[in-house]
Amino acid sequence: MKNAEFYSKILGLALCLFFILTGINSPMTEFIIFGGILLSIGIPHGAIDHLTSDPKLSKKSFSKFLSIYLSLIVVYSGIWYLFPLFALVIFLLFSAYHFGQTHYLQQTDTATWKEFLLYLSKGSFFLSVILFGSFEETQFILSSIVSIGFLENFQFHIILFFLLAILFSQFLGHVSFKKSDILELTLLPILLYYSPLFISFAVYFGFWHSLPSMISEYTYLSKFPAYSSLKKFIAQLLPFSLISVVGIVLILFFGLRSLEVAELTLLFFIMISVISFPHIIYMDRFFRKISKTDPYSA
Ligand SMILES: CC1=C(/C=C/C(C)=C/C=C/C(C)=C/C=C/C=C(C)/C=C/C=C(C)/C=C/C2=C(C)CCCC2(C)C)C(C)(C)CCC1
């Protein structure tokens, strides 16, 4: 399992390097790679939240899970509708925390403010590298909600601030530095910064977040006979992945008639954000539950 993660990360770095060195500008190629990563690991890694929360789910607890999960989606969609800027800020903060958490699977296990600071700073660092690296595109996509032009001159200060915050909070929380941390804090951000937006987001989201999360999910669930093989696990991922993909595609299809490219892209991220909202809450509980066991032990 650890090999799968290792080789996917090498593939991710190679992809970034390819786009940087060739200077290729092909939105269609970027879209295919982005879509492929999203469909194969990005969306599926969230589609078994009901099982990671309770592998022996009864009909009653499944209905309870579903009503809480869907209510969170509805409430957060309402926040997007009424207060888009506030919803965007929540999305960025929650995403940063969630992405940061995946970097420390099994290294931290308590729920203290130091841990919170560590996850938040690590995720914010990578998000800022990705978004500032393609500042014009990010600005264009967000233009219907907020004007962020003033941030451009401060981008390196902001990135440096988050980098120092990682070092500080890792030191504060007595979290040891691994060899991979050095690569993650040097080569990876440089490659993400200079790659096209959708490639850098897909590589980071797919190979540094979704795949490691999915491996932890599989390792945990494979201990239960109902999900004990890869085939059974994949079968569990399919239903909610398909429902989500069909829902997103249908909404984008209707949006095609009246929305501009930037608005459509934003709508896409809003949809990802609304399904990611309950997912982040459930995954936080799941990661804490498994934090004392080796995610690669199976
Ligand atoms: C279970 C279930 C389900 C499913 C679920 C799922 C499938 C989930 C998934 C989940 C997921 C799938 C998650 C994800 C996450 C993600 C994230 C967290 C992201 C973030 C991002 C960001 C932050 C971005 C940013 C940006 C860019 C990049 C560009 C432009 C601008 C902006 C800023 C927007 C359903 C609903 C059917 C039903 C119930 C139950």
Side-chain angles (χ1 to χ4, degrees), residues 140-159:
F140 178 62
I141 295 169
L142 294 180
S143 57
S144 57
I145 297 186
V146 63
S147 161
I148 55 165
F150 69 98
L151 286 175
E152 189 167 15
N153 292 336
F154 301 105
Q155 55 171 301
F156 288 108
H157 302 86
I158 297 174
I159 293 174

Side-chain angles (χ1 to χ4, degrees), residues 53-95:
S53 92
D54 180 3
K56 294 176 182 160
L57 210 63
S58 65
K59 263 193 182 159
K60 199 175 160 209
S61 47
F62 180 60
S63 316
K64 189 178 164 202
F65 166 88
L66 217 55
S67 44
I68 297 177
Y69 208 93
L70 294 176
S71 308
L72 288 168
I73 290 182
V74 171
V75 168
Y76 188 46
S77 307
I79 298 181
W80 267 111
Y81 184 71
L82 295 171
F83 314 105
L85 185 55
F86 178 59
L88 176 68
V89 173
I90 296 184
F91 180 38
L92 291 175
L93 287 175
F94 268 63
S95 304

Side-chain angles (χ1 to χ4, degrees), residues 42-43 45-50 65-66 69-70 73 88 91-92 95 98-99 127 130-131 138 141-142 197 201 205 240-241 243-244 266 269 272 275-276 279-280:
I43 301 234
H45 94 278
I48 42 163
D49 285 346
H50 54 305
F65 166 88
L66 217 55
Y69 208 93
L70 294 176
I73 290 182
L88 176 68
F91 180 38
L92 291 175
S95 304
H98 184 52
F99 288 159
L127 270 180
I130 294 168
L131 299 177
T138 304
I141 295 169
L142 294 180
L197 179 62
F201 180 73
F205 176 61
F240 282 146
S241 297
I243 294 176
S244 309
L266 184 61
F269 279 107
I272 290 292
I275 54 170
S276 76
H279 165 74
I280 292 173

Side-chain angles (χ1 to χ4, degrees), residues 6-297:
F6 175 77
Y7 288 118
S8 71
K9 286 180 173 172
I10 298 287
L11 174 71
L13 296 178
L15 264 175
C16 290
L17 208 58
F18 171 78
F19 274 89
I20 296 170
L21 292 180
T22 58
I24 193 168
N25 179 13
S26 164
M28 188 47 95
T29 316
E30 287 173 37
F31 182 73
I32 291 171
I33 295 173
F34 176 76
I37 294 178
L38 195 80
L39 291 179
S40 57
I41 37 181
I43 301 234
H45 94 278
I48 42 163
D49 285 346
H50 54 305
L51 298 179
T52 51
S53 92
D54 180 3
K56 294 176 182 160
L57 210 63
S58 65
K59 263 193 182 159
K60 199 175 160 209
S61 47
F62 180 60
S63 316
K64 189 178 164 202
F65 166 88
L66 217 55
S67 44
I68 297 177
Y69 208 93
L70 294 176
S71 308
L72 288 168
I73 290 182
V74 171
V75 168
Y76 188 46
S77 307
I79 298 181
W80 267 111
Y81 184 71
L82 295 171
F83 314 105
L85 185 55
F86 178 59
L88 176 68
V89 173
I90 296 184
F91 180 38
L92 291 175
L93 287 175
F94 268 63
S95 304
Y97 175 84
H98 184 52
F99 288 159
Q101 192 170 33
T102 335
H103 286 267
Y104 297 98
L105 291 181
Q106 220 227 333
Q107 271 186 286
T108 52
D109 55 16
T110 49
T112 65
W113 63 272
K114 290 179 197 164
E115 197 187 32
F116 177 77
L117 205 69
L118 179 63
Y119 299 163
L120 199 62
S121 49
K122 189 90 165 203
S124 302
F125 171 71
F126 282 105
L127 270 180
S128 55
V129 163
I130 294 168
L131 299 177
F132 281 126
S134 304
F135 191 75
E136 271 179 26
E137 254 174 298
T138 304
Q139 197 177 1
F140 178 62
I141 295 169
L142 294 180
S143 57
S144 57
I145 297 186
V146 63
S147 161
I148 55 165
F150 69 98
L151 286 175
E152 189 167 15
N153 292 336
F154 301 105
Q155 55 171 301
F156 288 108
H157 302 86
I158 297 174
I159 293 174
L160 186 67
F161 171 78
F162 288 132
L163 180 61
L164 294 176
I166 297 172
L167 301 178
F168 175 70
S169 37
Q170 202 155 327
F171 173 74
L172 201 71
H174 302 289
V175 179
S176 57
F177 280 93
K178 297 185 293 172
K179 275 187 211 148
S180 57
D181 285 337
I182 300 172
L183 195 75
E184 274 185 11
L185 294 177
T186 51
L187 181 65
L188 178 62
I190 295 174
L191 294 182
L192 292 178
Y193 185 88
Y194 289 105
S195 299
L197 179 62
F198 284 90
I199 294 301
S200 60
F201 180 73
V203 163
Y204 179 70
F205 176 61
F207 304 136
W208 264 265
H209 171 69
S210 305
L211 192 63
S213 305
M214 206 193 254
I215 291 175
S216 314
E217 293 166 350
Y218 175 64
T219 307
Y220 171 71
L221 287 175
S222 60
K223 294 184 181 111
F224 297 85
Y227 326 108
S228 58
S229 69
L230 199 57
K231 210 168 148 191
K232 288 182 189 168
F233 178 72
I234 293 174
Q236 297 296 331
L237 296 173
L238 287 177
F240 282 146
S241 297
L242 286 177
I243 294 176
S244 309
V245 172
V246 170
I248 291 176
V249 169
L250 277 180
I251 294 176
L252 286 180
F253 180 74
F254 287 117
L256 269 178
R257 293 186 197 163
S258 53
L259 300 176
E260 301 289 324
V261 179
E263 290 166 331
L264 265 182
T265 316
L266 184 61
L267 179 63
F268 166 77
F269 279 107
I270 291 177
M271 286 186 291
I272 290 292
S273 82
V274 296
I275 54 170
S276 76
F277 186 60
H279 165 74
I280 292 173
I281 297 172
Y282 277 96
M283 281 308 269
D284 186 52
R285 282 172 43 185
F286 171 65
F287 285 141
R288 290 186 193 289
K289 185 165 69 179
I290 61 158
S291 60
K292 289 205 172 84
T293 59
D294 182 354
Y296 301 110
S297 64

